[in-house]
Amino acid sequence: MFDLVPFGKRRDDAFGVLAKSLNEVFNDDFFAPLTSSTLSFRTDIRESEGAYLIEAELPGFKKEEIDIDYTSPYLTIKAVRKEENSEENKEHQTVRRFYVQDIAEEGIRASLKDGMLSLEVPKRQKSQGKRIEIQDGGHSSDAQLQ
């Protein structure tokens, strides 16, 4: 029914259970998502007055293997390379997704040179706003009634 364990042993067993549970958390299965075929890539993002400048390292990818998509408010860069070996066909996919707002999506420019993808993402021009002058309360309502 219940295991009777001397008091001093119970503490050792609790520590053993804790150590075992920590080992289970940090086993290879825990890191499986990181070792899958979906990987990330190094990206630098700079901001200027009128645009975001994104540089992504994608060595070995051709421009036909890179897909850039903007679906408000996310800019997604996905690179997919299919390797055809005699043993098995593998697909290596790298994806980065960025949250961006207030951009002029029709003006996004991309170029690829020596494995470096460069994106220029122009910001949407914000209106300068208009200062509203406050009228005297009595004059504006009197003028409307007459």
Side-chain angles (χ1 to χ4, degrees):
M1 186 166 159
F2 294 104
D3 290 334
L4 296 176
V5 179
F7 186 74
K9 284 285 209 177
R10 186 173 297 261
R11 186 178 67 209
D12 292 339
D13 285 343
F15 180 75
V17 169
L18 177 64
K20 182 180 177 186
S21 64
L22 285 174
N23 285 334
E24 289 175 359
V25 168
F26 292 106
N27 66 10
D28 290 338
D29 293 336
F30 177 78
F31 293 105
L34 298 177
T35 59
S36 70
S37 63
T38 302
L39 302 171
S40 187
F41 48 88
R42 180 177 286 174
T43 307
D44 289 329
I45 303 172
R46 290 177 281 141
E47 182 177 6
S48 69
E49 178 115 4
Y52 298 103
L53 306 170
I54 302 171
E55 292 182 338
E57 292 181 4
L58 294 168
F61 284 95
K62 300 173 193 159
K63 71 178 189 176
E64 296 82 20
E65 298 172 323
I66 300 171
D67 184 32
I68 303 165
D69 179 56
Y70 179 70
T71 304
S72 185
Y74 293 102
L75 178 69
T76 304
I77 302 171
K78 178 169 57 171
V80 179
R81 181 183 317 142
K82 291 186 178 183
E83 291 183 6
E84 296 180 14
N85 297 341
S86 60
E87 300 164 9
E88 60 185 59
N89 292 336
K90 287 187 177 181
E91 185 175 281
H92 295 282
Q93 177 174 313
T94 58
V95 179
R96 289 294 301 264
R97 193 171 189 196
F98 305 96
Y99 180 84
V100 289
Q101 287 185 318
D102 297 326
I103 64 169
E105 60 187 276
E106 63 281 348
I108 298 174
R109 303 279 183 258
S111 64
L112 180 68
K113 183 178 180 183
D114 298 330
M116 182 66 72
L117 176 69
S118 299
L119 286 165
E120 182 177 347
V121 183
K123 296 179 182 177
R124 188 177 307 148
Q125 296 298 319
K126 295 181 180 179
S127 65
Q128 295 295 323
K130 179 181 173 186
R131 180 170 168 78
I132 308 297
E133 188 175 326
I134 301 172
Q135 301 291 323
D136 291 335
H139 297 298
S140 62
S141 61
D142 289 341
Q144 291 177 356
L145 293 175
Q146 292 177 357

